[in-house]
mmCIF file of all heavy atoms in Angstrom:
data_model
loop_
_atom_site.group_PDB
_atom_site.id
_atom_site.type_symbol
_atom_site.label_atom_id
_atom_site.label_comp_id
_atom_site.label_asym_id
_atom_site.label_seq_id
_atom_site.Cartn_x
_atom_site.Cartn_y
_atom_site.Cartn_z
ATOM 1 N N ALA A 1 106.730 90.328 100.669
ATOM 2 C CA ALA A 1 106.434 89.019 100.241
ATOM 3 C C ALA A 1 107.372 88.585 99.134
ATOM 4 O O ALA A 1 107.741 87.425 99.049
ATOM 5 C CB ALA A 1 104.920 88.910 99.762
ATOM 6 N N SER A 2 107.766 89.495 98.161
ATOM 7 C CA SER A 2 108.536 89.142 97.026
ATOM 8 C C SER A 2 109.947 88.740 97.519
ATOM 9 O O SER A 2 110.503 87.765 97.065
ATOM 10 C CB SER A 2 108.661 90.240 96.070
ATOM 11 O OG SER A 2 109.164 91.481 96.721
ATOM 12 N N LEU A 3 110.504 89.439 98.520
ATOM 13 C CA LEU A 3 111.839 89.092 99.015
ATOM 14 C C LEU A 3 111.770 87.845 99.811
ATOM 15 O O LEU A 3 112.676 87.005 99.809
ATOM 16 C CB LEU A 3 112.332 90.277 99.880
ATOM 17 C CG LEU A 3 113.695 90.132 100.512
ATOM 18 C CD1 LEU A 3 114.753 89.803 99.440
ATOM 19 C CD2 LEU A 3 114.165 91.307 101.343
ATOM 20 N N ALA A 4 110.685 87.665 100.534
ATOM 21 C CA ALA A 4 110.440 86.443 101.390
ATOM 22 C C ALA A 4 110.534 85.222 100.446
ATOM 23 O O ALA A 4 111.126 84.197 100.839
ATOM 24 C CB ALA A 4 109.184 86.492 102.179
ATOM 25 N N LEU A 5 109.848 85.274 99.290
ATOM 26 C CA LEU A 5 109.927 84.166 98.423
ATOM 27 C C LEU A 5 111.216 83.880 97.881
ATOM 28 O O LEU A 5 111.653 82.745 97.691
ATOM 29 C CB LEU A 5 108.823 84.418 97.278
ATOM 30 C CG LEU A 5 108.632 83.187 96.343
ATOM 31 C CD1 LEU A 5 107.913 82.063 97.121
ATOM 32 C CD2 LEU A 5 107.669 83.683 95.192
ATOM 33 N N GLN A 6 111.906 84.990 97.599
ATOM 34 C CA GLN A 6 113.357 84.758 97.081
ATOM 35 C C GLN A 6 114.283 84.070 98.165
ATOM 36 O O GLN A 6 114.991 83.158 97.810
ATOM 37 C CB GLN A 6 113.972 86.125 96.740
ATOM 38 C CG GLN A 6 113.418 86.728 95.436
ATOM 39 C CD GLN A 6 113.858 88.144 95.190
ATOM 40 O OE1 GLN A 6 114.278 88.808 96.085
ATOM 41 N NE2 GLN A 6 113.834 88.596 93.953
ATOM 42 N N LEU A 7 114.097 84.498 99.336
ATOM 43 C CA LEU A 7 114.971 83.896 100.464
ATOM 44 C C LEU A 7 114.542 82.512 100.680
ATOM 45 O O LEU A 7 115.316 81.575 100.861
ATOM 46 C CB LEU A 7 114.671 84.701 101.723
ATOM 47 C CG LEU A 7 115.312 86.144 101.718
ATOM 48 C CD1 LEU A 7 114.960 86.799 103.089
ATOM 49 C CD2 LEU A 7 116.786 86.073 101.451
ATOM 50 N N LEU A 8 113.190 82.144 100.597
ATOM 51 C CA LEU A 8 112.777 80.885 100.835
ATOM 52 C C LEU A 8 113.222 79.883 99.741
ATOM 53 O O LEU A 8 113.532 78.710 99.959
ATOM 54 C CB LEU A 8 111.275 80.808 100.927
ATOM 55 C CG LEU A 8 110.477 79.574 101.190
ATOM 56 C CD1 LEU A 8 110.864 79.141 102.682
ATOM 57 C CD2 LEU A 8 108.955 79.735 101.186
ATOM 58 N N SER A 9 113.254 80.316 98.574
ATOM 59 C CA SER A 9 113.658 79.450 97.472
ATOM 60 C C SER A 9 115.225 79.463 97.261
ATOM 61 O O SER A 9 115.686 78.696 96.450
ATOM 62 C CB SER A 9 113.001 79.996 96.126
ATOM 63 O OG SER A 9 113.483 81.287 95.917
ATOM 64 N N GLY A 10 115.934 80.248 98.072
ATOM 65 C CA GLY A 10 117.393 80.264 97.904
ATOM 66 C C GLY A 10 117.852 81.145 96.816
ATOM 67 O O GLY A 10 119.105 81.213 96.565
ATOM 68 N N ALA A 11 116.965 81.986 96.212
ATOM 69 C CA ALA A 11 117.442 82.825 95.136
ATOM 70 C C ALA A 11 118.038 84.134 95.679
ATOM 71 O O ALA A 11 117.561 84.559 96.800
ATOM 72 C CB ALA A 11 116.245 83.109 94.190
ATOM 73 N N ALA A 12 118.929 84.656 94.928
ATOM 74 C CA ALA A 12 119.428 85.937 95.413
ATOM 75 C C ALA A 12 118.485 87.034 95.141
ATOM 76 O O ALA A 12 117.875 87.061 94.077
ATOM 77 C CB ALA A 12 120.807 86.160 94.770
ATOM 78 N N PRO A 13 118.349 87.990 96.044
ATOM 79 C CA PRO A 13 117.434 89.149 95.748
ATOM 80 C C PRO A 13 117.918 89.841 94.509
ATOM 81 O O PRO A 13 119.102 90.012 94.236
ATOM 82 C CB PRO A 13 117.602 90.075 96.968
ATOM 83 C CG PRO A 13 118.084 89.011 98.094
ATOM 84 C CD PRO A 13 118.977 88.115 97.401
ATOM 85 N N ALA A 14 116.978 90.317 93.741
ATOM 86 C CA ALA A 14 117.280 91.014 92.488
ATOM 87 C C ALA A 14 117.910 92.374 92.822
ATOM 88 O O ALA A 14 117.567 93.083 93.715
ATOM 89 C CB ALA A 14 115.995 91.238 91.686
ATOM 90 N N VAL A 15 118.925 92.762 91.918
ATOM 91 C CA VAL A 15 119.570 94.017 92.130
ATOM 92 C C VAL A 15 118.756 95.092 91.367
ATOM 93 O O VAL A 15 118.452 94.901 90.249
ATOM 94 C CB VAL A 15 121.027 94.015 91.709
ATOM 95 C CG1 VAL A 15 121.598 95.307 91.794
ATOM 96 C CG2 VAL A 15 121.820 92.957 92.457
ATOM 97 N N ALA A 16 118.506 96.154 92.083
ATOM 98 C CA ALA A 16 117.656 97.161 91.364
ATOM 99 C C ALA A 16 118.482 97.880 90.225
ATOM 100 O O ALA A 16 119.615 98.136 90.445
ATOM 101 C CB ALA A 16 117.254 98.213 92.443
ATOM 102 N N ALA A 17 117.839 98.030 89.161
ATOM 103 C CA ALA A 17 118.485 98.627 87.956
ATOM 104 C C ALA A 17 118.787 100.241 88.261
ATOM 105 O O ALA A 17 117.990 100.794 89.003
ATOM 106 C CB ALA A 17 117.622 98.509 86.745
ATOM 107 N N LYS A 18 119.822 100.658 87.799
ATOM 108 C CA LYS A 18 120.157 102.052 88.027
ATOM 109 C C LYS A 18 119.070 102.865 87.306
ATOM 110 O O LYS A 18 118.784 102.807 86.135
ATOM 111 C CB LYS A 18 121.562 102.312 87.356
ATOM 112 C CG LYS A 18 121.981 103.753 87.603
ATOM 113 C CD LYS A 18 123.450 103.994 87.054
ATOM 114 C CE LYS A 18 123.869 105.382 87.286
ATOM 115 N NZ LYS A 18 125.238 105.576 86.725
ATOM 116 N N PRO A 19 118.462 103.787 88.102
ATOM 117 C CA PRO A 19 117.538 104.623 87.525
ATOM 118 C C PRO A 19 117.933 105.557 86.425
ATOM 119 O O PRO A 19 119.126 105.968 86.482
ATOM 120 C CB PRO A 19 116.938 105.379 88.733
ATOM 121 C CG PRO A 19 118.050 105.539 89.651
ATOM 122 C CD PRO A 19 118.824 104.191 89.431
ATOM 123 N N THR A 20 117.239 105.881 85.467
ATOM 124 C CA THR A 20 117.496 106.802 84.388
ATOM 125 C C THR A 20 116.473 108.038 84.424
ATOM 126 O O THR A 20 115.332 107.753 84.742
ATOM 127 C CB THR A 20 117.447 106.063 83.039
ATOM 128 O OG1 THR A 20 116.122 105.512 82.848
ATOM 129 C CG2 THR A 20 118.431 104.962 82.980
ATOM 130 N N LEU A 21 117.023 109.098 84.032
ATOM 131 C CA LEU A 21 116.090 110.303 84.087
ATOM 132 C C LEU A 21 115.243 110.323 82.776
ATOM 133 O O LEU A 21 115.579 109.819 81.771
ATOM 134 C CB LEU A 21 116.910 111.620 83.971
ATOM 135 C CG LEU A 21 117.904 111.979 85.179
ATOM 136 C CD1 LEU A 21 118.791 113.051 84.946
ATOM 137 C CD2 LEU A 21 116.974 112.167 86.413
ATOM 138 N N PRO A 22 113.957 110.740 82.944
ATOM 139 C CA PRO A 22 113.053 110.668 81.837
ATOM 140 C C PRO A 22 113.599 111.788 80.773
ATOM 141 O O PRO A 22 114.177 112.832 81.179
ATOM 142 C CB PRO A 22 111.736 111.120 82.401
ATOM 143 C CG PRO A 22 112.088 111.880 83.698
ATOM 144 C CD PRO A 22 113.376 111.326 84.197
ATOM 145 N N PRO A 23 113.247 111.472 79.534
ATOM 146 C CA PRO A 23 113.679 112.522 78.558
ATOM 147 C C PRO A 23 112.885 113.793 78.712
ATOM 148 O O PRO A 23 111.765 113.753 79.238
ATOM 149 C CB PRO A 23 113.320 111.821 77.206
ATOM 150 C CG PRO A 23 112.269 110.859 77.610
ATOM 151 C CD PRO A 23 112.523 110.421 78.933
ATOM 152 N N PRO A 24 113.446 114.885 78.270
ATOM 153 C CA PRO A 24 112.622 116.122 78.421
ATOM 154 C C PRO A 24 111.472 116.111 77.495
ATOM 155 O O PRO A 24 111.384 115.443 76.434
ATOM 156 C CB PRO A 24 113.762 117.244 77.986
ATOM 157 C CG PRO A 24 114.668 116.422 77.135
ATOM 158 C CD PRO A 24 114.662 115.074 77.625
ATOM 159 N N MET A 25 110.480 117.045 77.905
ATOM 160 C CA MET A 25 109.358 117.232 77.139
ATOM 161 C C MET A 25 108.606 115.896 76.842
ATOM 162 O O MET A 25 107.975 115.633 75.806
ATOM 163 C CB MET A 25 109.600 117.882 75.814
ATOM 164 C CG MET A 25 110.234 119.196 75.956
ATOM 165 S SD MET A 25 109.268 120.416 76.900
ATOM 166 C CE MET A 25 108.016 120.685 75.671
ATOM 167 N N ARG A 26 108.539 114.932 77.929
ATOM 168 C CA ARG A 26 107.788 113.755 77.749
ATOM 169 C C ARG A 26 106.289 114.115 77.711
ATOM 170 O O ARG A 26 105.778 114.973 78.319
ATOM 171 C CB ARG A 26 107.981 112.876 79.012
ATOM 172 C CG ARG A 26 107.386 111.451 78.894
ATOM 173 C CD ARG A 26 107.650 110.701 80.151
ATOM 174 N NE ARG A 26 109.041 110.325 80.209
ATOM 175 C CZ ARG A 26 109.538 109.244 79.969
ATOM 176 N NH1 ARG A 26 108.857 108.325 79.480
ATOM 177 N NH2 ARG A 26 110.896 108.937 80.014
ATOM 178 N N PRO A 27 105.566 113.401 76.721
ATOM 179 C CA PRO A 27 104.163 113.683 76.564
ATOM 180 C C PRO A 27 103.416 113.612 77.880
ATOM 181 O O PRO A 27 103.678 112.724 78.644
ATOM 182 C CB PRO A 27 103.675 112.674 75.571
ATOM 183 C CG PRO A 27 104.863 112.300 74.776
ATOM 184 C CD PRO A 27 106.005 112.432 75.866
ATOM 185 N N PRO A 28 102.429 114.406 78.168
ATOM 186 C CA PRO A 28 101.667 114.343 79.462
ATOM 187 C C PRO A 28 101.015 112.994 79.642
ATOM 188 O O PRO A 28 100.991 112.599 80.820
ATOM 189 C CB PRO A 28 100.670 115.334 79.292
ATOM 190 C CG PRO A 28 101.214 116.373 78.198
ATOM 191 C CD PRO A 28 101.994 115.533 77.363
ATOM 192 N N ALA A 29 100.704 112.243 78.656
ATOM 193 C CA ALA A 29 100.097 110.952 78.901
ATOM 194 C C ALA A 29 100.976 109.961 79.636
ATOM 195 O O ALA A 29 100.472 109.041 80.345
ATOM 196 C CB ALA A 29 99.518 110.324 77.602
ATOM 197 N N ALA A 30 102.265 110.128 79.501
ATOM 198 C CA ALA A 30 103.134 109.241 80.170
ATOM 199 C C ALA A 30 103.177 109.390 81.649
ATOM 200 O O ALA A 30 103.722 108.572 82.448
ATOM 201 C CB ALA A 30 104.534 109.434 79.578
ATOM 202 N N PHE A 31 102.766 110.491 82.108
ATOM 203 C CA PHE A 31 102.716 110.830 83.514
ATOM 204 C C PHE A 31 101.368 110.543 84.300
ATOM 205 O O PHE A 31 101.253 110.755 85.441
ATOM 206 C CB PHE A 31 103.082 112.322 83.753
ATOM 207 C CG PHE A 31 104.421 112.575 83.403
ATOM 208 C CD1 PHE A 31 104.675 113.263 82.155
ATOM 209 C CD2 PHE A 31 105.502 112.392 84.234
ATOM 210 C CE1 PHE A 31 105.976 113.575 81.793
ATOM 211 C CE2 PHE A 31 106.816 112.671 83.832
ATOM 212 C CZ PHE A 31 107.056 113.332 82.611
ATOM 213 N N ILE A 32 100.488 109.866 83.481
ATOM 214 C CA ILE A 32 99.159 109.545 84.219
ATOM 215 C C ILE A 32 99.506 108.270 85.075
ATOM 216 O O ILE A 32 100.043 107.297 84.704
ATOM 217 C CB ILE A 32 98.224 109.116 83.095
ATOM 218 C CG1 ILE A 32 97.797 110.303 82.189
ATOM 219 C CG2 ILE A 32 96.890 108.458 83.704
ATOM 220 C CD1 ILE A 32 96.946 109.885 81.020
ATOM 221 N N LYS A 33 99.052 108.390 86.329
ATOM 222 C CA LYS A 33 99.237 107.467 87.327
ATOM 223 C C LYS A 33 98.342 106.218 87.043
ATOM 224 O O LYS A 33 97.203 106.300 86.638
ATOM 225 C CB LYS A 33 98.898 107.925 88.738
ATOM 226 C CG LYS A 33 99.819 109.038 89.224
ATOM 227 C CD LYS A 33 99.401 109.400 90.642
ATOM 228 C CE LYS A 33 100.411 110.522 91.152
ATOM 229 N NZ LYS A 33 100.069 110.890 92.583
ATOM 230 N N PRO A 34 98.992 104.965 87.211
ATOM 231 C CA PRO A 34 98.176 103.756 86.997
ATOM 232 C C PRO A 34 97.067 103.670 88.032
ATOM 233 O O PRO A 34 97.202 104.247 89.061
ATOM 234 C CB PRO A 34 99.299 102.680 87.125
ATOM 235 C CG PRO A 34 100.292 103.254 87.942
ATOM 236 C CD PRO A 34 100.320 104.612 87.588
ATOM 237 N N ALA A 35 96.089 102.899 87.741
ATOM 238 C CA ALA A 35 94.963 102.726 88.589
ATOM 239 C C ALA A 35 95.478 102.089 89.929
ATOM 240 O O ALA A 35 96.263 101.156 89.840
ATOM 241 C CB ALA A 35 93.916 101.883 88.111
ATOM 242 N N ALA A 36 95.025 102.446 91.020
ATOM 243 C CA ALA A 36 95.452 101.962 92.378
ATOM 244 C C ALA A 36 94.985 100.455 92.423
ATOM 245 O O ALA A 36 93.871 100.091 91.922
ATOM 246 C CB ALA A 36 94.873 102.757 93.535
#
């Protein structure tokens, strides 16, 4: 749906940002999955 809306409005699809590795020893709380 997000890409469909971009095409419909004539906007260019967003370019995905280059992923970055997480810093070492990240606190465990940062890895808690968001609610579904």
